[in-house]
Amino acid sequence: MEIIFGRNKKEHQEPVRARVTGKIPTWLQGTLLRNGPGMHTVGETRYNHWFDGLALLHSFTIRDSEVYYRSKYLRSDTYNANIEANRIVVSEFGTMAYPDPCKNIFSKAFSYLSHTIPDFTDNCLINIMKCGEDFYATTETNYIRKINPQSLETLEKVDYRKYVAVNLATSHPHYDAAGNVLNMGTSIVDKGKTKYVIFKIPATVPEDKKKGKSCLRHTEVFCSIPSHSLLSPSYYHSFGITENYIVFLEQPFKLDILKMATAYMRGVSWASCMTFHREDKTHIHIIDQRTRKPIGTKYYTDPMVVFHHVNAYEEDGCILFDVIAYKDSSLYQLFYLANLNQDFAENSKLTSTPTLKRFAVPLHVDKNAEVGSNLIKLVSTTATALKEKDGQVHCQPELLYEGLELPRINYVHNGKPYRYVFAAEVQWSPIPSKILKYDVLTKSSLTWGEEHCWPAEPLFVPRPGAKDEDDGIILSAIVSTDPQKPPFLLILDAQSFTELARASVEVDMHLDLHGLFIPDAQEPVPAEELWAGAHSGFSISDTTVSASTDEPQAGPQSQLLIPDRSGLVPTEEP
């Protein structure tokens, strides 16, 4: 566990060529871009929680069956301040940082007051979001950081609050067919009201706006939902979406705002202000995308904690949605670095098992239905929805599979009926040990695993022109704890789950959290972009290169320099 979680990782700003074994599909061209914590100590100080570590971006660029790896720490304001001070000076959710003890009492008092309404970190370590043509590293605060997906350079800092009133936001947005982004966040005590805000970011800006303007400028509030508790809003990591509805779970894992406001003065972390309330319900909110309003019926289920929604879709007047559920919030406790030690196996037994559960919600409740009757008539699931005396509906799930996390699907089927879940299988602990393909129709599964190998979230990439849902490949970055086996990018055939290839890199790679695949542009580059101005150019056909100029001039002989496939190093003979 120390190898995986405890050590700071070294960044590799210059590409490292991987050693490829097996055969990479020729159509697979693009970049796998990933994000996760990579630095856990700064100077003599140490973060308390693994999810607090400084963000380390890394990527695998795949071109013509060759793979190049690079990694770079996100140059956030948080990173820069910590490195400059050589200590942790910016607070994270599990680690409260304090001012320099040499500062006078007036400076300390001001610092305490400024933390009453905290300005959260911009250490965006969880995921990568595509917004229009731009890419952003994201976390769960109001800050995101624009990045260059090729060089991993950190660009401008964006505050959601300039565009929508949210203090927290998820790192798992949804995208529609046009590329518009739908996300949600929590507005803490906005005008005396705490609410959940669903907002939409367009993929493109209006034509009358200047080119290069950010899509974020046109963010609009899609819908807002009042919190059941104004001073204790629910924590949530993701949400679900169908073609016509949005599914939001207001779960009893809550953030106490009053405790958070005094956390700095009391010397405790913000995470200590989060509590799981076993006696409370999990409220199921269904929002109609057409009216932008929640459905009036009150749905709920038993108390649980959900980090990841898998998928949701509509069937015969019902919404079916699949989530990875826990019985409590013990998973978060497990990832405190103090628990990731030699007793980890024992500590992990105290956590509940992540379970794939399917819920069914009836969109229309028959007023004449008997109290206690099951409103779900579908033959495709055993999930129930029981009508109660007060008109509420109590939903009970169908248990599909125990022991999986970090779920992904073929995103073409997002919000639609689907069949396959690609996830990390977990056995004796929440740490991934295998990669799993689960068939929700047949309830069968396939796995890939190797001793001393710890896979990251598996990501599905469809084959161009594919018709079958699982026609494509699975990409996963594998961390190795065997000193004789370097980490590698694993490439699986998604249908058979057999290994096609792996790209091994001689680096100390970190276990990441989430990311995305950026396919190379399929469209040919316009001819005018290939010419070096209006006066000269090179025409390339087969193995022949011809030079042309408008006004030939006597002088030294020119050469066309052709890089190798990495785009970095010239070939021996230009």
Side-chain angles (χ1 to χ4, degrees):
M1 293 304 104
E2 175 66 21
I3 294 174
I4 298 175
F5 298 107
R7 297 199 306 226
N8 289 352
K9 305 300 180 182
K10 180 183 177 182
E11 62 181 11
H12 298 271
Q13 297 191 38
E14 297 302 320
V16 178
R17 187 171 184 174
R19 179 173 58 85
V20 176
T21 56
K23 187 175 182 180
I24 299 176
T26 56
W27 57 263
L28 185 60
Q29 309 277 334
T31 299
L32 176 65
L33 182 58
R34 307 286 300 172
N35 197 357
M39 186 183 298
H40 308 284
T41 60
V42 183
E44 298 298 319
T45 58
R46 183 178 179 87
Y47 286 112
N48 295 330
H49 203 280
W50 187 63
F51 294 155
D52 292 346
L54 293 175
L56 179 57
L57 305 169
H58 65 164
S59 66
F60 294 87
T61 299
I62 307 168
R63 299 242 167 78
D64 298 333
S65 298
E66 291 185 355
V67 179
Y68 284 82
Y69 174 87
R70 75 164 81 204
S71 63
K72 189 172 184 178
Y73 278 101
L74 185 76
R75 276 4 185 226
S76 61
D77 291 352
T78 297
Y79 174 94
N80 292 332
N82 288 344
I83 297 302
E84 182 179 358
N86 195 34
R87 61 190 291 264
I88 298 171
V89 295
V90 180
S91 299
E92 302 292 338
F93 264 85
T95 307
M96 189 62 75
Y98 297 93
D100 190 323
C102 295
K103 289 185 178 180
N104 62 44
I105 189 170
F106 299 105
S107 177
K108 289 182 180 180
F110 178 79
S111 185
Y112 284 139
L113 290 173
S114 68
H115 275 73
T116 301
I117 301 176
D119 185 22
F120 291 122
T121 176
D122 68 335
N123 177 34
C124 301
L125 77 157
I126 296 178
N127 206 353
I128 306 294
M129 178 179 74
K130 187 178 188 298
C131 186
E133 298 302 316
D134 299 326
F135 293 87
Y136 295 86
T138 65
T139 184
E140 294 186 319
T141 72
N142 52 287
Y143 291 115
I144 57 177
R145 293 298 304 235
K146 187 177 178 181
I147 60 171
N148 182 317
Q150 282 77 43
S151 66
L152 305 185
E153 178 186 2
T154 304
L155 305 174
E156 60 258 34
K157 178 181 180 179
V158 175
D159 186 348
Y160 271 137
R161 293 175 299 182
K162 290 184 178 180
Y163 312 107
V164 59
V166 293
N167 304 87
L168 305 168
T170 87
S171 275
H172 287 284
H174 287 276
Y175 308 88
D176 64 18
N180 301 310
V181 178
L182 194 68
N183 202 3
M184 68 180 297
T186 301
S187 181
I188 299 177
V189 199
D190 176 35
K191 298 178 182 178
K193 297 180 181 179
T194 299
K195 56 189 176 182
Y196 311 106
V197 179
I198 300 171
F199 56 95
K200 187 175 183 178
I201 308 171
T204 56
V205 297
E207 294 180 1
D208 59 340
K209 299 295 180 181
K210 291 182 180 180
K211 187 177 181 181
K213 293 290 185 180
S214 170
C215 301
L216 288 157
R217 294 175 178 268
H218 301 278
T219 300
E220 62 170 322
V221 174
F222 191 84
C223 175
S224 62
I225 305 167
S227 170
H228 271 82
S229 174
L230 295 182
L231 296 178
S232 297
S234 170
Y235 169 81
Y236 54 97
H237 187 73
S238 62
F239 62 103
I241 188 170
T242 74
E243 291 184 294
N244 296 299
Y245 299 92
I246 296 168
V247 180
F248 166 57
L249 300 179
E250 188 177 7
Q251 55 196 12
F253 187 26
K254 299 179 181 180
L255 177 63
D256 189 313
I257 294 175
L258 294 181
K259 287 184 177 180
M260 185 181 71
T262 59
Y264 192 82
M265 290 182 285
R266 292 185 294 114
V268 298
S269 69
W270 292 316
S272 69
C273 307
M274 296 171 64
T275 306
F276 179 67
H277 299 264
R278 299 176 183 275
E279 70 283 0
D280 287 356
K281 302 174 180 178
T282 298
H283 300 280
I284 303 173
H285 297 280
I286 305 295
I287 299 94
D288 191 323
Q289 293 193 56
R290 296 158 296 189
T291 64
R292 299 192 174 193
K293 295 180 179 179
I295 290 178
T297 304
K298 295 182 178 179
Y299 309 97
Y300 76 95
T301 187
D302 298 333
M304 63 179 183
V305 172
V306 168
F307 294 99
H308 296 114
H309 282 249
V310 181
N311 199 12
Y313 61 93
E314 301 158 36
E315 181 180 330
D316 294 338
C318 297
I319 290 179
L320 299 178
F321 66 90
D322 299 342
V323 296
I324 309 297
Y326 296 82
K327 293 180 180 179
D328 53 36
S329 60
S330 55
L331 175 73
Y332 191 89
Q333 301 299 318
L334 179 67
F335 279 92
Y336 277 98
L337 291 177
N339 294 329
L340 298 174
N341 53 30
Q342 66 271 20
D343 298 323
F344 180 80
E346 290 300 317
N347 290 335
S348 67
K349 294 177 182 178
L350 302 178
T351 64
S352 63
T353 303
T355 304
L356 176 61
K357 295 183 178 182
R358 169 163 292 183
F359 287 86
V361 175
L363 291 169
H364 306 285
V365 177
D366 184 359
K367 294 181 179 180
N368 298 320
E370 293 183 8
V371 172
S373 63
N374 179 20
L375 303 174
I376 303 300
K377 308 302 180 184
L378 303 175
V379 297
S380 61
T381 182
T382 59
T384 62
L386 305 180
K387 183 180 178 181
E388 298 190 337
K389 291 180 180 180
D390 54 4
Q392 294 191 73
V393 178
H394 183 197
C395 300
Q396 289 282 22
E398 174 186 2
L399 274 58
L400 297 178
Y401 193 92
E402 287 192 339
L404 77 167
E405 250 295 3
L406 303 173
R408 297 297 293 257
I409 63 170
N410 180 340
Y411 203 75
V412 172
H413 291 261
N414 188 53
K416 304 174 184 178
Y418 79 117
R419 184 170 176 177
Y420 301 109
V421 181
F422 304 101
E425 185 180 66
V426 293
Q427 295 175 353
W428 57 269
S429 77
I431 309 304
S433 56
K434 293 182 180 180
I435 300 175
L436 171 77
K437 175 186 179 182
Y438 180 73
D439 187 331
V440 298
L441 181 62
T442 65
K443 309 296 191 294
S444 60
S445 62
L446 296 172
T447 60
W448 176 95
E450 200 166 288
E451 192 175 10
H452 305 301
C453 288
W454 309 86
E457 170 191 66
L459 194 148
F460 176 82
V461 181
R463 183 180 62 81
K467 294 182 179 179
D468 294 334
E469 183 181 337
D470 59 349
D471 187 1
I473 56 95
I474 295 294
L475 298 176
S476 180
I478 310 295
V479 173
S480 170
T481 50
D482 180 353
Q484 303 302 317
K485 181 186 295 182
F488 56 93
L489 173 66
L490 176 68
I491 303 175
L492 295 178
D493 179 280
Q495 290 184 322
S496 65
F497 242 51
T498 55
E499 182 175 332
L500 297 176
R502 66 175 62 184
S504 302
V505 285
E506 295 291 342
V507 300
D508 187 13
M509 194 165 71
H510 66 304
L511 189 65
D512 60 42
L513 291 171
H514 302 291
L516 49 73
F517 181 75
I518 308 171
D520 284 350
Q522 300 298 316
E523 299 79 10
V525 180
E528 59 269 19
E529 294 183 15
L530 296 175
W531 289 78
H535 301 290
S536 65
F538 292 92
S539 176
I540 306 173
S541 176
D542 296 329
T543 58
T544 302
V545 179
S546 304
S548 60
T549 60
D550 289 348
E551 298 179 2
Q553 306 245 346
Q557 184 178 8
S558 298
Q559 292 181 323
L560 172 64
L561 191 64
I562 304 174
D564 74 356
R565 293 186 181 109
S566 71
L568 300 163
V569 185
T571 53
E572 293 182 0
E573 295 184 6

